[in-house]
Amino acid sequence: MPIPATQYIWFNGKLVPWESATVHVLSHALHYGSSVFEGVRAYATPAGVAIFRLREHTRRLFDSAKIYRINIPFTEQQINDACREVVSANGLTKGAYLRPVAFRGYGEIGVAPKIDPPVDVAVAAWEWGKYLGAESEAEGVDVCVSSWQRVAPNTLPAMAKAAGNYLSSQLISMEAHRLGFVEGIGLAPDGTVSEGAGENLFVVRDGVIHTPGFAHSVLGGITRDSVIRLAREAGYEVRETSIPREMLYIADELFFTGTAAEITPIRSVDRITVGSGRRGPVTEALQKTFFGLFTGATPDRHGWLEPVEPATRRAASA
Ligand code: PPE
């Protein structure tokens, strides 16, 4: 699906027209994968459009950059402001998907050149619907375990949301699509369950919620963290642990989490039906709590909703 273009992209400190946000073909990141990025969602709420956990996403962007010694020439505050600015300037009042990205740009060529190429930073935003299909939120998706494993911890750091990691995700996802599945799950190098190509994974069995821990080559997902906290607050036991593959087959419920995927039930793995073959009650309850944050049904106890417009402007336009 082509990206539904908006008017402006924030690029190196200012808003430029969408089609002008371009880079040189000899940019370092294009050749060596030296790019870090975020996926962030904004939602329409009763108090106006709000960005979900903006500060945590920006912090992870800077963490990813730190791991790769990429010096972002802006502060976290400036990136947060840039995110608010692109949503606002593009009139994305119904919600949006934001894509902040920072990368080694055009300068010297070579894997680790003596003079570090300048770091380019951009934030784009557009309207993006259900990541794993229109029906996925209620119906669930059919997935497989990939023949491709996730990266080992001493190869590429999984906690950095770096472009290069998505070569692994591409192999996993493309294989899954080729075999007729909606998404693929990667196993960690020790053969235990890691995560989806672009989602964290949760397993429900006997009312207990399990998800692979950080040592299992997973991205430290912000939706993952939100779901763990909401689930614990609702009284569920949540275990961050090591999960053998066969747990996927005998689970009562499985679901993916991610900014793009939100909370998506999984109804089969490798053509084995999960639980009743439809969204289970724990998944549904967590979806209700999660999506309730944006309608106001779930109180925003942790200050996760970052208003795009300052309160004074919201009041004036009301
Ligand atoms: N694991 C991976 C590998 C991953 O890419 C994501 C997000 C997650 C877990 C969940 O993290 P979080 O979004 O913080 O809850 N994947 C992003 C990119 C998807 C894409 O196709 O591009 C996303 O969901 O925005």
Side-chain angles (χ1 to χ4, degrees):
M1 192 191 74
I3 307 176
T6 52
Q7 222 179 336
Y8 302 108
I9 290 178
W10 184 96
F11 193 29
N12 290 332
K14 56 179 195 293
L15 292 177
V16 303
W18 177 278
E19 49 293 334
S20 310
T22 55
V23 296
H24 198 278
V25 293
L26 291 176
S27 294
H28 193 272
L30 205 50
H31 297 255
Y32 308 113
S34 43
S35 160
V36 294
F37 70 100
E38 275 304 313
V40 190
R41 270 196 198 264
Y43 290 89
T45 77
V49 63
I51 304 178
F52 185 61
R53 302 196 71 176
L54 173 61
R55 278 162 293 137
E56 291 88 339
H57 279 284
T58 301
R59 180 177 175 216
R60 188 173 65 184
L61 181 74
F62 279 74
D63 287 346
S64 301
K66 187 175 186 184
I67 292 168
Y68 282 103
R69 301 163 200 268
I70 292 172
N71 295 313
I72 297 180
F74 296 96
T75 63
E76 292 188 35
Q77 182 62 47
Q78 285 174 309
I79 301 302
N80 290 337
D81 291 344
C83 289
R84 280 189 285 265
E85 207 180 338
V86 281
V87 175
S88 173
N90 288 307
L92 292 162
T93 51
K94 289 187 283 184
Y97 182 82
L98 288 80
R99 173 52 58 86
V101 59
F103 53 97
R104 292 199 163 102
Y106 175 62
E108 278 192 39
I109 203 82
V111 173
K114 287 211 173 59
I115 300 170
D116 208 18
V119 173
D120 287 320
V121 186
V123 185
W126 61 88
E127 270 181 41
W128 216 18
K130 294 290 163 205
Y131 184 59
L132 298 174
E135 310 291 300
S136 61
E137 185 185 316
E139 299 299 319
V141 292
D142 300 307
V143 307
C144 64
V145 173
S146 181
S147 67
W148 292 101
Q149 286 181 320
R150 298 300 286 175
V151 293
N154 57 349
T155 59
L156 294 173
M159 285 186 80
K161 194 171 171 65
N165 291 3
Y166 287 83
L167 290 171
S168 156
S169 294
Q170 285 176 52
L171 291 172
I172 291 172
S173 225
M174 290 188 302
E175 181 184 64
H177 296 168
R178 189 166 48 79
L179 298 175
F181 297 97
V182 169
E183 185 60 297
I185 294 169
L187 300 180
D190 66 356
T192 61
V193 174
S194 178
E195 61 177 351
E199 310 85 4
N200 291 114
L201 180 67
F202 286 78
V203 178
V204 185
R205 170 125 172 149
D206 293 335
V208 177
I209 302 172
H210 306 78
T211 194
F214 288 153
H216 298 274
S217 302
V218 303
L219 179 70
I222 288 163
T223 321
R224 174 187 182 278
D225 178 72
S226 308
V227 164
I228 291 172
R229 286 162 74 171
L230 293 171
R232 286 191 176 138
E233 284 165 13
Y236 291 103
E237 181 182 345
V238 183
R239 296 185 195 151
E240 292 179 67
T241 180
S242 183
I243 299 176
R245 175 175 180 164
E246 60 274 24
M247 274 278 276
L248 304 177
Y249 304 136
I250 60 172
D252 298 327
E253 300 179 36
L254 288 183
F255 60 89
F256 280 139
T257 66
T259 298
E262 297 169 313
I263 300 178
T264 302
I266 296 170
R267 64 182 178 193
S268 75
V269 180
D270 298 335
R271 305 276 179 233
I272 297 178
T273 301
V274 175
S276 61
R278 49 194 306 277
R279 173 173 64 186
V282 177
T283 310
E284 191 169 358
L286 291 170
Q287 281 181 329
K288 199 169 164 222
T289 308
F290 178 79
F291 290 116
L293 285 164
F294 315 119
T295 61
T298 302
D300 179 22
R301 278 198 204 91
H302 307 287
W304 286 343
L305 298 176
E306 187 79 36
V308 164
E309 304 288 354
T312 47
R313 180 119 59 99
R314 282 201 320 263
S317 63

